[in-house]
């Protein structure tokens, strides 16, 4: 984490001196690519019975599913590095601490809402759909938050999208990893 933080602040300092604020969160893009790769790995095994319902059978792939869910949750946990984003946003845009903290609060508020909605959708749409959708929503939120220039944009992108994506991924990932054991 120290490596990421040092690179982030070096990148931020360079942008402030060049007055280039186009992509504030660029060093965190690697998480989104990693989430996508791991989501593909998690989708490798999703057994269904002949009627289309989910059947969790014990196979040797269950360890791969557990490991992929663990790594996915680590990647999505990068959203909890809000303090790394907050200080540069305050400095660059002259926003107050309470204004910028509201984005993280909105994100935390959205997580259980997405878990509840995802829990209702999972029996009909399946875990693949929810994990993929959550990953896309989370990635979109992180990437678009990097281009923010207003508090409203920050609230919508980081608050709503990132929080909703985390909720879809956590709820689906944890509940399905447990079913394999």
């Amino acid at each position: 984490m120290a490596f990421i933080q040092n690179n982030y602040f070096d990148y931020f300092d360079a942008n402030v001196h060049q007055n280039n604020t186009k992509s504030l969160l660029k060093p965190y893009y690697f998480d989104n690519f990693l989430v996508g790769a791991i989501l593909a790995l998690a989708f490798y095994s999703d057994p269904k019975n002949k009627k289309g319902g989910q059947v969790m059978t014990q196979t040797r792939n269950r360890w791969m599913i557990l490991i992929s869910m663990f790594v996915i949750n680590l990647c999505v946990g990068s959203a909890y590095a809000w303090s790394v984003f907050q200080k540069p946003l305050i400095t660059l845009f002259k926003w107050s601490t309470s204004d910028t903290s509201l984005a993280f609060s909105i994100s935390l508020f959205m997580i259980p809402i997405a878990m509840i909605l995802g829990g209702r959708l999972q029996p009909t749409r399946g875990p693949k759909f929810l994990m993929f959708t959550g990953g896309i929503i989370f990635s979109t939120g992180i990437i678009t938050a990097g281009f923010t220039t207003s508090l409203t944009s920050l609230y919508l992108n980081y608050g709503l999208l990132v929080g909703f994506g985390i909720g879809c991924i956590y709820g689906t990932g944890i509940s399905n990893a447990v079913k394999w054991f």
Side-chain angles (χ1 to χ4, degrees):
M1 189 65 173
F3 173 74
I4 294 170
Q5 288 175 347
N6 290 339
N7 283 345
Y8 177 76
F9 286 115
D10 291 344
Y11 182 80
F12 174 73
D13 290 340
N15 276 346
V16 169
H17 290 104
Q18 296 172 4
N19 292 327
N20 179 8
T21 60
K22 291 238 179 205
S23 182
L24 204 56
L25 304 179
K26 204 171 201 175
Y28 286 90
Y29 286 1
F30 80 92
D31 271 346
N32 298 310
F33 295 116
L34 189 58
V35 167
I38 293 169
L39 284 174
L41 185 67
F43 296 156
Y44 175 71
S45 180
D46 185 22
K48 294 181 183 248
N49 64 16
K50 292 179 181 178
K51 296 178 184 175
Q54 300 295 318
V55 175
M56 301 295 174
T57 58
Q58 293 195 4
T59 65
R60 62 189 181 124
N61 291 335
R62 68 188 179 145
W63 290 103
M64 184 60 75
I65 292 168
L66 180 65
I67 291 167
S68 62
M69 293 301 166
F70 175 76
V71 175
I72 287 170
N73 284 330
L74 283 178
C75 292
V76 174
S78 68
Y80 294 110
W82 175 249
S83 60
V84 175
F85 305 145
Q86 186 176 12
K87 195 171 187 178
L89 287 170
I90 292 169
T91 304
L92 183 63
F93 295 112
K94 308 294 186 228
W95 294 334
S96 70
T97 303
S98 60
D99 286 342
T100 54
S101 295
L102 184 58
F104 187 66
S105 298
I106 293 169
S107 179
L108 292 178
F109 177 77
M110 290 304 297
I111 292 171
I113 292 172
M115 286 178 149
I116 292 167
L117 294 174
R120 303 285 288 165
L121 281 176
Q122 188 172 334
T124 57
R125 302 291 289 187
K128 284 183 185 181
F129 174 77
L130 285 172
M131 290 292 285
F132 182 74
T133 303
I136 295 295
I137 293 170
F138 174 78
S139 299
T140 302
I142 288 286
I143 290 171
T144 55
F147 297 99
T148 191
T149 56
S150 70
L151 282 170
T152 305
S153 172
L154 185 66
Y155 296 157
L156 292 174
N157 295 319
Y158 195 88
L160 293 178
L161 292 179
V162 170
F164 199 82
I166 290 172
C168 287
I169 291 171
Y170 276 169
T172 305
I174 292 171
S175 67
N176 280 295
V178 170
K179 290 177 185 176
W180 286 91
F181 292 91

